[in-house]
mmCIF file of all heavy atoms in Angstrom:
data_model
loop_
_atom_site.group_PDB
_atom_site.id
_atom_site.type_symbol
_atom_site.label_atom_id
_atom_site.label_comp_id
_atom_site.label_asym_id
_atom_site.label_seq_id
_atom_site.Cartn_x
_atom_site.Cartn_y
_atom_site.Cartn_z
ATOM 1 N N HIS N 114 -15.550 11.603 -5.529
ATOM 2 C CA HIS N 114 -15.772 12.799 -6.307
ATOM 3 C C HIS N 114 -17.237 13.194 -6.231
ATOM 4 O O HIS N 114 -18.106 12.358 -5.934
ATOM 5 C CB HIS N 114 -15.358 12.553 -7.783
ATOM 6 C CG HIS N 114 -13.894 12.223 -7.921
ATOM 7 N ND1 HIS N 114 -12.991 13.098 -8.461
ATOM 8 C CD2 HIS N 114 -13.209 11.130 -7.544
ATOM 9 C CE1 HIS N 114 -11.781 12.541 -8.454
ATOM 10 N NE2 HIS N 114 -11.874 11.373 -7.882
ATOM 11 N N ALA N 115 -17.504 14.466 -6.568
ATOM 12 C CA ALA N 115 -18.877 14.963 -6.376
ATOM 13 C C ALA N 115 -19.903 14.158 -7.190
ATOM 14 O O ALA N 115 -21.035 14.009 -6.799
ATOM 15 C CB ALA N 115 -18.937 16.423 -6.759
ATOM 16 N N ASP N 116 -19.470 13.674 -8.380
ATOM 17 C CA ASP N 116 -20.401 12.928 -9.180
ATOM 18 C C ASP N 116 -20.522 11.474 -8.765
ATOM 19 O O ASP N 116 -21.190 10.684 -9.408
ATOM 20 C CB ASP N 116 -19.952 12.948 -10.665
ATOM 21 C CG ASP N 116 -20.143 14.358 -11.244
ATOM 22 O OD1 ASP N 116 -20.893 15.140 -10.634
ATOM 23 O OD2 ASP N 116 -19.546 14.660 -12.291
ATOM 24 N N GLY N 117 -19.849 11.108 -7.668
ATOM 25 C CA GLY N 117 -20.063 9.784 -7.126
ATOM 26 C C GLY N 117 -18.918 8.809 -7.397
ATOM 27 O O GLY N 117 -18.963 7.665 -6.893
ATOM 28 N N GLN N 118 -17.900 9.198 -8.165
ATOM 29 C CA GLN N 118 -16.796 8.284 -8.436
ATOM 30 C C GLN N 118 -16.033 8.038 -7.126
ATOM 31 O O GLN N 118 -15.732 8.964 -6.396
ATOM 32 C CB GLN N 118 -15.842 8.834 -9.498
ATOM 33 C CG GLN N 118 -16.449 8.999 -10.842
ATOM 34 C CD GLN N 118 -17.372 10.167 -10.898
ATOM 35 O OE1 GLN N 118 -17.390 11.043 -10.043
ATOM 36 N NE2 GLN N 118 -18.184 10.195 -11.963
ATOM 37 N N ARG N 119 -15.722 6.758 -6.926
ATOM 38 C CA ARG N 119 -14.987 6.403 -5.723
ATOM 39 C C ARG N 119 -13.688 5.728 -6.130
ATOM 40 O O ARG N 119 -13.688 4.975 -7.090
ATOM 41 C CB ARG N 119 -15.778 5.423 -4.881
ATOM 42 C CG ARG N 119 -17.028 6.051 -4.257
ATOM 43 C CD ARG N 119 -18.022 5.000 -3.845
ATOM 44 N NE ARG N 119 -19.159 5.572 -3.167
ATOM 45 C CZ ARG N 119 -20.144 6.214 -3.812
ATOM 46 N NH1 ARG N 119 -20.116 6.291 -5.137
ATOM 47 N NH2 ARG N 119 -21.149 6.721 -3.138
ATOM 48 N N GLU N 120 -12.602 5.985 -5.396
ATOM 49 C CA GLU N 120 -11.380 5.315 -5.705
ATOM 50 C C GLU N 120 -10.546 5.159 -4.439
ATOM 51 O O GLU N 120 -10.721 5.850 -3.462
ATOM 52 C CB GLU N 120 -10.581 6.092 -6.782
ATOM 53 C CG GLU N 120 -10.547 7.591 -6.587
ATOM 54 C CD GLU N 120 -9.815 8.264 -7.771
ATOM 55 O OE1 GLU N 120 -9.112 7.567 -8.487
ATOM 56 O OE2 GLU N 120 -9.964 9.475 -7.885
ATOM 57 N N ILE N 121 -9.678 4.114 -4.465
ATOM 58 C CA ILE N 121 -8.873 3.791 -3.305
ATOM 59 C C ILE N 121 -7.408 3.932 -3.682
ATOM 60 O O ILE N 121 -6.958 3.411 -4.725
ATOM 61 C CB ILE N 121 -9.181 2.350 -2.837
ATOM 62 C CG1 ILE N 121 -10.581 2.367 -2.170
ATOM 63 C CG2 ILE N 121 -8.154 1.893 -1.831
ATOM 64 C CD1 ILE N 121 -11.030 1.025 -1.699
ATOM 65 N N ASN N 122 -6.658 4.649 -2.873
ATOM 66 C CA ASN N 122 -5.232 4.886 -3.080
ATOM 67 C C ASN N 122 -4.921 5.498 -4.410
ATOM 68 O O ASN N 122 -3.772 5.432 -4.869
ATOM 69 C CB ASN N 122 -4.412 3.600 -2.861
ATOM 70 C CG ASN N 122 -4.477 3.164 -1.416
ATOM 71 O OD1 ASN N 122 -4.779 3.933 -0.532
ATOM 72 N ND2 ASN N 122 -4.149 1.895 -1.184
ATOM 73 N N GLN N 123 -5.878 6.093 -5.017
ATOM 74 C CA GLN N 123 -5.664 6.847 -6.272
ATOM 75 C C GLN N 123 -6.531 8.057 -6.225
ATOM 76 O O GLN N 123 -7.644 7.993 -5.676
ATOM 77 C CB GLN N 123 -6.058 5.984 -7.472
ATOM 78 C CG GLN N 123 -4.926 5.173 -8.037
ATOM 79 C CD GLN N 123 -5.210 4.786 -9.491
ATOM 80 O OE1 GLN N 123 -6.362 4.577 -9.857
ATOM 81 N NE2 GLN N 123 -4.166 4.678 -10.269
ATOM 82 N N LEU N 124 -6.043 9.142 -6.773
ATOM 83 C CA LEU N 124 -6.818 10.374 -6.812
ATOM 84 C C LEU N 124 -6.627 10.967 -8.207
ATOM 85 O O LEU N 124 -5.528 11.337 -8.557
ATOM 86 C CB LEU N 124 -6.368 11.326 -5.709
ATOM 87 C CG LEU N 124 -7.022 12.714 -5.737
ATOM 88 C CD1 LEU N 124 -8.517 12.606 -5.573
ATOM 89 C CD2 LEU N 124 -6.452 13.598 -4.613
ATOM 90 N N HIS N 125 -7.724 10.999 -8.955
ATOM 91 C CA HIS N 125 -7.642 11.572 -10.311
ATOM 92 C C HIS N 125 -8.094 13.036 -10.227
ATOM 93 O O HIS N 125 -9.166 13.332 -9.664
ATOM 94 C CB HIS N 125 -8.550 10.791 -11.283
ATOM 95 C CG HIS N 125 -7.972 9.477 -11.630
ATOM 96 N ND1 HIS N 125 -8.036 8.392 -10.797
ATOM 97 C CD2 HIS N 125 -7.355 9.026 -12.779
ATOM 98 C CE1 HIS N 125 -7.426 7.344 -11.372
ATOM 99 N NE2 HIS N 125 -7.034 7.716 -12.584
ATOM 100 N N VAL N 126 -7.299 13.929 -10.782
ATOM 101 C CA VAL N 126 -7.670 15.358 -10.773
ATOM 102 C C VAL N 126 -7.326 15.950 -12.155
ATOM 103 O O VAL N 126 -6.426 15.455 -12.833
ATOM 104 C CB VAL N 126 -6.888 16.132 -9.682
ATOM 105 C CG1 VAL N 126 -7.347 15.685 -8.300
ATOM 106 C CG2 VAL N 126 -5.398 15.992 -9.840
ATOM 107 N N PRO N 127 -8.008 17.038 -12.502
ATOM 108 C CA PRO N 127 -7.669 17.723 -13.764
ATOM 109 C C PRO N 127 -6.512 18.683 -13.563
ATOM 110 O O PRO N 127 -6.336 19.206 -12.471
ATOM 111 C CB PRO N 127 -8.970 18.459 -14.092
ATOM 112 C CG PRO N 127 -9.640 18.710 -12.778
ATOM 113 C CD PRO N 127 -9.213 17.599 -11.835
ATOM 114 N N VAL N 128 -5.768 18.907 -14.626
ATOM 115 C CA VAL N 128 -4.625 19.833 -14.565
ATOM 116 C C VAL N 128 -5.161 21.279 -14.655
ATOM 117 O O VAL N 128 -6.243 21.498 -15.246
ATOM 118 C CB VAL N 128 -3.619 19.511 -15.690
ATOM 119 C CG1 VAL N 128 -4.199 19.898 -17.043
ATOM 120 C CG2 VAL N 128 -2.292 20.196 -15.453
ATOM 121 N N GLY N 129 -4.459 22.219 -14.039
ATOM 122 C CA GLY N 129 -4.792 23.627 -14.200
ATOM 123 C C GLY N 129 -6.084 24.057 -13.548
ATOM 124 O O GLY N 129 -6.670 25.064 -13.949
ATOM 125 N N ARG N 130 -6.534 23.320 -12.529
ATOM 126 C CA ARG N 130 -7.791 23.688 -11.898
ATOM 127 C C ARG N 130 -7.558 23.643 -10.391
ATOM 128 O O ARG N 130 -6.834 22.744 -9.891
ATOM 129 C CB ARG N 130 -8.856 22.675 -12.332
ATOM 130 C CG ARG N 130 -10.157 22.757 -11.608
ATOM 131 C CD ARG N 130 -11.321 22.983 -12.538
ATOM 132 N NE ARG N 130 -12.489 23.289 -11.743
ATOM 133 C CZ ARG N 130 -13.623 22.582 -11.798
ATOM 134 N NH1 ARG N 130 -13.765 21.585 -12.635
ATOM 135 N NH2 ARG N 130 -14.620 22.914 -10.987
#
Side-chain angles (χ1 to χ4, degrees):
H114 298 251
D116 290 342
Q118 294 76 14
R119 292 161 177 77
E120 42 184 344
I121 288 178
N122 292 342
Q123 269 202 327
L124 174 60
H125 288 76
V126 293
V128 70
R130 171 123 190 237

